[in-house]
Amino acid sequence: MNYLNKINKINNKLFYSTTSTNQIKNVVINNKDYLKSLKTGEIWELIVGIEVHAQTKTKEKLFSNSLNIGSMEGFKANSRVSFVDAAFPGVLPVLNDKCVEQAIKTGLAIGGTINKYSFFDRKHYFYQDLPQGYQITQLSEPIVKGGSMELELRDGRQHQIRISHIQLEQDSGKSIHDLHPTKSLVDLNRAGIGLMEIVSHADFTSSEQVGCYIEKLQHLLKHIGSSDANMQFGEMRCDVNISVHKPNTEFGTRVELKNMISAKAIVSSIDSEANRQISLLESDGNNNNRISRETRGFNQETGETYHLRTKEDEVDYRFFPDPDLPPLIISDERIQTIKQQLGELPQDMKKRLIKQYSISNYDAELLIQDQSIAKFFEQSIIFNNNNIKKQRDIKKILNFLLRDIFSWLNSNNIQEFKSIINENQLSIEKFTELLDLIEQGYISTNIGKTILFQILNGSDSRSPKTLIDSQGLSQISDDSVLDQLVQQLVENHPKEVTEYHQGKQRVYKFFMGEIMKKTKGRSNPEIVNNLLKKYLDLKK
Amino acid sequence: MNRLTNISQIRKSLIDGKLKVNDLVQNKIKEINRGSPNRLNTFISLEDEKSLEKQIKESQERYNNGTNKRLDGIPIGVKDNFSSKNFKTTCASKILENYKPSFDSTVVKLLKDEGAIIIGKTNMDEFSMGSSSTSGNFGKVINPWSKPNNSNNNEGEVLYVAGGSSGGSAAAVASNYCVASIGSDTGGSIRQPSSYCGVVGFKPSYGLISRFGLVAYASSLDTPGVLTNSVEDAAELLDVLIKKDQENDSTSIEFINNNNNNNNNNNNNKNEKKNILNEFNEKLKNKNIKDLVFGIPKDYLVKELDTDILNLWKEVVEEIEKRGGKVVPVSLPHTRYALPAYYLLATSEASSNLSRFDGVRYGYRYEEENENSSGGNDEIKIGMGLKDMYTKTRTNGFGEEVKKRIILGTMALSRSSYDNFYTKAQKIRRLVSDDFKNVFQGENKVDILITPTAPSPAFKQNEKMDPIEVYVNDIMTIPSNLAGLPACSIPLKLSKSNLPISVQLISNRLTDDNLLFAAHTIMNFDCYKDFTSITPNYLK
């Protein structure tokens, strides 16, 4: 995630749906979302349910000890495959307890109930990238039941999404159809990786809500560390069920959208599909038969959905409890322990930050985008503050963090704030030392910014003070030196002094600039200001 | 000739130097090929000569320098559904005819660790599906008790089946081709052939021996076990094989005290680990038949029961009572539902477990004949397509019985049949388990149930049999698989037609030590103790 994008997104309140090219428009009536057909003026209700597949952040796969490749690209095909992943005769699955822990964490974070007795089922179908001939998943007793998520919409309304359940299941391998003229190739590196399938109720009534939900869920998973949830790397994938109907009538026929690679694509695909369904229904006198139960894909270039397969073509999955795995029993103690380790959730953290530091909703939202930033922020207020005997200025910290550091991260295309926290770059010691040097007037805020970027660039790992001194950038705080400089300047420019007294403010800036030039920016602007005023007034 | 069949006797001779490992092993190989190569077709493949010579040499060296292990140099046959590293493991199926695993099953590994020499992989029914060891891709196993050509009547040679599915393992031990063998028991596959061939067949409590590397037929029923000439040998092998396999098998368990019979106040020995050999020896020393309560389930008196076997059953009861043992009639009312329930559950699991044999990653794959490939290599050949490849591979790779069971299981798990078949069968399984629980924990506190092993002695090869009639063969052995109980078949005498007949003993879960003790006690009654020293007719 791009840090500037983050800011933009929050400014825009996440996503605006792209209704401009569509023949439908989002409208809000009595606090509820509807779609209005621009052609007929009729009002439609949109119903969407989402299944999110998030890869568990674990070292090993769900039922084998081969390494999770996670988001790492460039691994040789079939280099992370055990006999279990490739379903050799006689091998048995052994549940990776870390995956269970991540699912419990996620369940607790969404306010769900942890199922103390769940089990695994087999879902059968034949495909070349499904080595066992079945996927191990959880159908009848999933590990988490219930939960919810509160969404904040861009017009300030709140919308609650109920979560049905979270199930643990295996990922399949990858089929590659375009590398050989007549053969399909199979890469099993992904086969057997643990997924949490987070299934929502059909509680979404606008595409904005869906975009908001996905962003928020993604953020939550990253925050609690249960998944890296990066959609580009396939660590998070979404299936969307969508239907439309006239208010106060029965729900419409559901169409499933699959294989979308970004939150943006999902939002666009919902708009496009809703548009398609409404056009179809309106062109046929609202005869629901025109929508068939099917699975569709989304073409990002044309912005349209396309037919993949009809539901009737689907095989009977012949679910039954996996006889190789005992029931998954989770104790109360374990749930409690994980609850305690979970720490503060993003929404709670946001509320607390606003209250504790009197910062704006906007700044708080930016801070909680990444737990490590929020942590850094809180640390920098109090770290070693015995030296200065007070809390540091929160406004100044936020300015550095959310403007300067964010823009630096962005222009250097760095994804993780965490990655710049190290000895050679930024540390809490260096950051607070820099803040304190500014506070003490040793350098100006502007020089502080220069030093900060030098630190971030990581070319010189010495302390801020050493960096300042070695470049002679400290403010000239010796008043007598400045006094002399200002006096001389005023003496040497009688013309400008006259102009100043005639009311030309711009000349004042000239004097300031001259001093800054002469002191190479190291003079304290406040002191210079006072001295200038003094000597200029003397010439009145 | 006084046959040296007992592990402890052989070990003693090897230690004393009276017997050399080479003579022991090479003699077995010679016997296997006496008359004609692999005369009884007990083995699918034999260990290659070089590897055998190397193992013999190493083993002899350990005896020479006194570092021999428990089973050092002991020739053991292993059923061909246990994976063995670099040693063909076919399950008697064309679909795995050239499959060489890259890893050892836990059972094979534990045997090798103790110095045992795996001389060959024994013949069986394809994927353990059958009761005659005649259905495999590598031909029929011949029962060593078959009637040779030169018998006095003018019938000529009459060949009998060895039973199944571990028919090769049973016939090999009965023929003294190996000292002991390993089998697997899903619905009687160790006990029934043991009964037909006249050896001891022991199926321990489900979970005590790891299934890792055992090619699955029906995971919740498959139980590795041993076939031996004596109960002592069974105890010795079980002691090597009973070990929790935490790493590879989540259904494998520790051998601990089953405290269901004890008061709750007595928590002292709860969950205490037991050693089966020590417990068995302890009982041999301190207990006698008067310490055991035997139960006779009248529900096993089926109309198909052979007269000789019925008489043996009665005789065993009389002999026990004569010696002061207590025998009580008991009721297992759901026994008659066990057979249909078993055939639904086992085939359901099989249909799932066998889906991995798809020709994609290992084993047999159907290849199109290159009739039309007149063009050069440049010509792009379009493959037959995935679905076609699956269909042709599985149609040609599996035998008739396997396909029949896959289809039955697929039906039982299908959406429209699941509730009526799979779910009902599971309920019956629970009822059958509860029947046993009631008997073992009821007022009589029954320790050991005595039943026939099979309704009849071995039947003739090529005897035209109704498939349902063949399934009925398993009627006595199936209930203990459904309940996961230890059960063992002990050969006691010959029928009027000179075929071995046996009884089956069943005990409560995790009381395998008690079962060994009871089996040993009965086999050593004066009237039965000489049975195992008789050499089968066909081998004379």
Side-chain angles (χ1 to χ4, degrees), chain A residues 61-316:
Chain A
K61 294 183 180 179
L62 183 54
F63 294 112
S64 80
N65 57 8
S66 9
L67 294 180
N68 247 1
I69 46 167
S71 56
M72 306 292 275
E73 284 289 320
F75 273 103
K76 212 175 133 198
N78 296 308
S79 63
R80 294 292 183 276
V81 185
S82 72
F83 295 120
V84 175
D85 307 324
F88 270 63
V91 296
L92 295 169
V94 176
L95 180 61
N96 178 354
D97 213 39
K98 280 304 269 186
C99 295
V100 174
E101 187 180 319
Q102 298 296 32
I104 296 175
K105 264 160 76 175
T106 310
L108 292 171
I110 58 156
T113 309
I114 307 305
N115 201 346
K116 281 175 221 157
Y117 185 93
S118 68
F119 54 81
F120 291 94
D121 298 287
R122 292 182 180 178
K123 175 185 179 178
H124 301 85
Y125 63 95
F126 281 104
Y127 202 58
Q128 68 246 359
D129 59 23
L130 186 75
Q132 294 164 142
Y134 54 83
Q135 176 200 32
I136 306 179
T137 177
Q138 295 189 299
L139 178 75
S140 41
E141 284 296 338
I143 184 162
V144 178
K145 286 176 173 174
S148 67
M149 195 157 280
E150 197 73 37
L151 307 178
E152 283 174 34
L153 305 181
R154 64 172 179 268
D155 58 9
R157 280 178 302 141
Q158 304 261 318
H159 186 83
Q160 200 197 44
I161 300 298
R162 291 166 304 149
I163 288 163
S164 157
H165 65 271
I166 301 177
Q167 68 204 39
L168 266 175
E169 61 184 32
Q170 293 176 302
D171 206 345
S172 63
K174 206 160 71 182
S175 293
I176 301 149
H177 301 290
D178 52 4
L179 283 183
H180 189 279
T182 60
K183 288 178 178 167
S184 290
L185 306 180
V186 177
D187 178 6
L188 295 180
N189 278 349
R190 222 180 60 185
I193 283 180
L195 300 176
M196 299 177 280
E197 181 172 341
I198 305 163
V199 182
S200 85
H201 281 282
D203 284 352
F204 299 91
T205 53
S206 75
S207 60
E208 184 207 354
Q209 292 166 10
V210 175
C212 199
Y213 171 77
I214 288 167
E215 281 275 297
K216 196 156 180 182
L217 190 58
Q218 205 170 20
H219 176 219
L220 182 69
L221 299 179
K222 281 184 197 172
H223 180 96
I224 61 173
S226 68
S227 173
D228 286 328
N230 199 323
M231 290 191 87
Q232 284 139 277
F233 296 135
E235 292 161 339
M236 186 162 153
R237 303 190 287 269
C238 299
D239 297 339
V240 176
N241 279 299
I242 164 170
S243 71
V244 296
H245 64 276
K246 292 263 182 68
N248 305 317
T249 64
E250 267 180 45
F251 279 18
T253 305
R254 195 165 81 210
V255 169
E256 191 176 3
L257 300 177
K258 261 192 183 317
N259 305 335
M260 269 130 347
I261 51 152
S262 71
K264 197 164 169 264
I266 293 166
V267 173
S268 315
S269 71
I270 292 171
D271 290 332
S272 161
E273 178 61 17
N275 186 40
R276 185 188 73 89
Q277 291 186 13
I278 289 172
S279 314
L280 262 178
L281 294 171
E282 290 190 338
S283 69
D284 193 32
N286 195 8
N287 183 345
N288 205 7
N289 294 333
R290 289 293 298 269
I291 309 283
S292 53
R293 277 209 75 187
E294 60 179 328
T295 302
R296 299 177 72 86
F298 180 62
N299 183 333
Q300 237 165 325
E301 272 156 37
T302 63
E304 283 172 357
T305 64
Y306 58 92
H307 174 80
L308 277 175
R309 58 176 178 268
T310 54
K311 285 280 171 186
E312 285 74 37
D313 292 346
E314 264 175 22
V315 291
D316 180 347

Side-chain angles (χ1 to χ4, degrees), chain A residues 442-508:
Chain A
Y442 191 70
I443 48 169
S444 67
T445 306
N446 267 336
I447 294 292
K449 223 182 256 185
T450 310
I451 297 294
L452 178 67
F453 289 138
Q454 285 176 8
I455 292 172
L456 290 171
N457 287 331
S459 49
D460 195 332
S461 65
R462 288 179 296 174
S463 75
K465 176 117 195 324
T466 320
L467 280 177
I468 293 162
D469 291 346
S470 70
Q471 300 169 77
L473 293 175
S474 65
Q475 293 192 119
I476 297 168
S477 40
D478 185 343
D479 287 2
S480 61
V481 175
L482 277 180
D483 195 282
Q484 222 178 331
L485 273 174
V486 175
Q487 197 181 358
Q488 250 169 34
L489 186 74
V490 173
E491 293 290 343
N492 292 345
H493 293 87
K495 197 178 123 218
E496 283 81 2
V497 173
T498 321
E499 280 174 11
Y500 170 75
H501 287 304
Q502 286 164 354
K504 285 191 179 164
Q505 280 298 317
R506 156 182 77 75
V507 186
Y508 189 78

Side-chain angles (χ1 to χ4, degrees), chain B residues 231-272:
Chain B
V231 176
E232 288 100 326
D233 284 2
E236 176 102 37
L237 283 179
L238 290 172
D239 193 38
V240 171
L241 299 176
I242 290 180
K243 200 172 178 198
K244 186 175 160 78
D245 184 355
Q246 215 148 5
E247 201 187 333
N248 300 313
D249 180 358
S250 39
T251 61
S252 134
I253 56 166
E254 210 80 70
F255 188 41
I256 51 168
N257 270 319
N258 181 341
N259 271 36
N260 289 337
N261 289 327
N262 294 1
N263 287 336
N264 284 338
N265 309 338
N266 181 6
N267 278 330
N268 293 339
N269 52 1
K270 199 164 196 180
N271 295 334
E272 192 183 295

Side-chain angles (χ1 to χ4, degrees), chain B residues 470-486:
Chain B
V470 177
Y471 288 179
V472 170
N473 250 299
D474 302 337
I475 201 160
M476 315 282 184
T477 46
I478 278 169
S480 56
N481 289 87
L482 290 179
L485 303 176

Side-chain angles (χ1 to χ4, degrees), chain A residues 86-87 90 122 124 127 131 182 316, chain B residues 213 352-353 361-362 381 390 415:
Chain A
R122 292 182 180 178
H124 301 85
Y127 202 58
T182 60
D316 180 347
Chain B
S352 172
N353 285 331
R361 298 166 309 286
Y362 45 75
K381 280 181 281 176
Y390 282 151
R415 205 177 289 142

